[in-house]
Amino acid sequence: MRRSRVHAFASALCAGAAVCAIFAFAAPEASAQSPSGGDFTIPADQKMLLAADELIYNNDTGLVVASGGVQIDYGSYKLVADRVEYDQTTGRMKAIGSVEMVEPDGNKIYADNLDVTDDFANGFINALRVETPDKTYIAAESAERSDGRQTTFNSGVYTACEPCEENPERAPVWQIRAKRVIQDGETKTIRLIRPTFELFGLPIAMLPYLEIPDHNTKRKTGFLAPSYRSSDTLGYGLTVPYYVVISPYMDATLSGTAYSKQGFLGEVEFRQKFANGSHTLRMAGISQTGQDEFTANTSDALVQERGMIASKGAFRINPRWTFGWDVMAQTDNNFSRTYGIEGYASATEKSEIYLTGQSNRSYFDLRGYRFDKQNADETNRSERMQAFVHPSLDYSRTFSDPIAGGELALNVNGYSLSRRRNDFSTAAGGATIDPALADRYYGFSGDNARLSAELEWKKTVTVGNGLRLTPILAARGDLNSVNVDTAPSAYTGVFAGNGSHARGMVTAGLEASYPVLVSTATSSHVFEPIAQVFVRPDEHLAGGIPNEDAQSFVFDATSLFERDKFSGFDRTEGGTRANVGLRYTGNFDNGLKTQAAFGQSYHLAGLNSFATPDLAQATRNSGLDQDVSDFVGMVGLSTANGLSLAASARFDKDDFRAERTDVRAGYSRDRFKTSITYTEIKAPRPNLLSELDRSEVTGYVSLKLHENWSVAASTSYDLTDEKFNRQAFGVLYADECIALSLSYQEIRDDYDTEARDWKVGARLSFRTLGGLGGGDDVSPLLKANF
């Protein structure tokens, strides 16, 4: 063959390779650009690799034929076929037998044969299958290319399910069979004419028309899959969402729900992305037509025109700093929960704005927030008890340069808050009544603010034969501003009163530990006796300042060796105290790991902060209110095969009664995960408030039955009331093309122990098509771990 003819044939084959791309999800123009904007043009100096068993050129007919395992690699195109023919007279190119084409954007085209013109505008292909990069598939008896932009698949099938490897002829989980499937390169859509939806090969629904975006279009304006809702008070509801693409960086979803009892609920969610973050705006509203369906004199029944507006944003100022907000306002205190507004339907919603910075040795967080207690109380009492924080501040820094050979750390904390109503409870723990009879003040109506700064220095040195000594020095100062509307009248302590108050605390401490290593042929063990002593003055204004952030106080093995055992800054530990205990860790060659701790604390001199009254009663029954504390201990173990066990307890110093017990056992291996937790808190002695012992057991189990099937269940049982607090069960099936979930939840009301709320949810989702269903998503349950 003459070299010029070979070059002509090579050019024709390359052109044919480019033509193959038009039968996938092609660009609007057949010449140079891919659907995603990539350049399909082959450089003029690009070399082509052609391999075939036989190459024949017929000089009389102008037919060039390559046969026998033809392989073409040219630019970003790859073509494989049994035989390729190019007719120079008619300008047509044919690829015959086991045709496989990979185009630059990753599409794979499989066909028996193809026949196209050399201008790439028109062509025909038989028995083809198209596989896109996102694993969607189109199969058809034949396909035609016209006008350089539109491909029509005759008797086509569309699906997002991968073919079965064992039996490729078996119908996928779902597919859409249509008389014609039209891929439009200009609109980047796939239209299905007279489609029939099939599930496991069985026809389920027939539609006159269906349009979906192709694989190169991640977003497309159009209707989304509807969902169904039902409620005793709202009636039956059908939600139809409509998605709108505004720009490459903005979109919105408009939703309308028609309720049989309450009328039409309108919702809109607007989303916008920026180079350094994103913003979401959500609004919803309804004019209720069935207010009498709700319980009388509730916020649901009293307000006809109801709505909400919410805004959420998150922006990264630089690699260290982030700024954001998540705020919500509504016409009444229960609208979003009643109508299940996505993202804002929980019993307590937190609105906040924040600025956060973080580096290797420092952390900064400034935020303001408030709480919406969503319930049907028309007077909104519980929400008025919640603090409006404006703002709170946390800053910590560990200095990199040693100071006198030791490590220096700075902590700054502060807040300013206000309430509209006192948050208190009576001595018997019943309903709130006159403040004069209450003895627990969780929060006051009015204003309260505090700013605290603390420096801590410590240095660890090893002396003698392994004795570790750690001297500790700390200094702290507080400024408080108290302006409450009503001073506590039934408080046994000394209330500081309204006005500005300054407090200070200095601490000098020493920790001594002597770790001892014991090794055997199969294990190693470390026993570490520890003793601490902290010398400091009495706590100034002990229990006289409103306690907002130190109410979650628990004395256990984890807090035994803390310099200040209070959880927050509103209280600070004063007086001279010693802590003594033993820590142990063990490691075995078979993967077993063990740990334990046991100890006791001693108040040596000064005022015992845990024995003084506290406005929130946070220190009551703490185990530290006497000079000799209760014993605290913990043990834990974990094995290489996924078994874990942990137990902690506080024991009475006189009779060793377990005052608080926490036990957790868990097992996680391959497809199975389970855990059970038992908690018991004994009523204080003597029981002046007629309190009862509190005990609860919670359990969780999940099992992956198959590669695609998972089940999970959780429960919480109150051993004192002998009632279930909550129960949940879920089933999930998920594969590459479909997801199905069923869930059931039952929760006991916090305020009415006899009332229960239950939910049933079901969702069916098809990849690339969307989903339908109602109720809560089961995924959090399957991922839960008590």
Side-chain angles (χ1 to χ4, degrees), residues 45 48 113 217 238 261 332 340 345 386 425 633 637 663 717 745 770:
D45 59 349
M48 182 195 74
N113 58 76
T217 305
L238 179 65
K261 294 183 178 181
D332 58 89
Q386 304 306 309
S425 65
L637 63 85
V663 180
Y717 185 75
Q745 297 184 57

Side-chain angles (χ1 to χ4, degrees), residues 8-75:
F9 177 62
S11 301
L13 288 181
C14 294
V19 170
C20 290
I22 66 175
F23 295 108
F25 299 84
E29 310 247 341
S31 54
Q33 297 295 319
S34 75
S36 57
D39 192 351
F40 276 25
T41 304
I42 300 176
D45 59 349
Q46 180 68 53
K47 296 181 179 180
M48 182 195 74
L49 176 62
L50 169 65
D53 294 341
E54 186 177 44
L55 185 64
I56 301 174
Y57 173 68
N58 191 319
N59 190 48
D60 296 330
T61 63
L63 185 65
V64 184
V65 179
S67 60
V70 181
Q71 298 182 33
I72 298 175
D73 191 341
Y74 193 57

Side-chain angles (χ1 to χ4, degrees), residues 700-717:
Y700 169 79
V701 60
S702 68
L703 176 63
K704 193 170 185 178
L705 300 172
H706 180 265
E707 182 181 358
N708 306 116
W709 285 96
S710 300
V711 296
S714 67
T715 186
S716 173
Y717 185 75

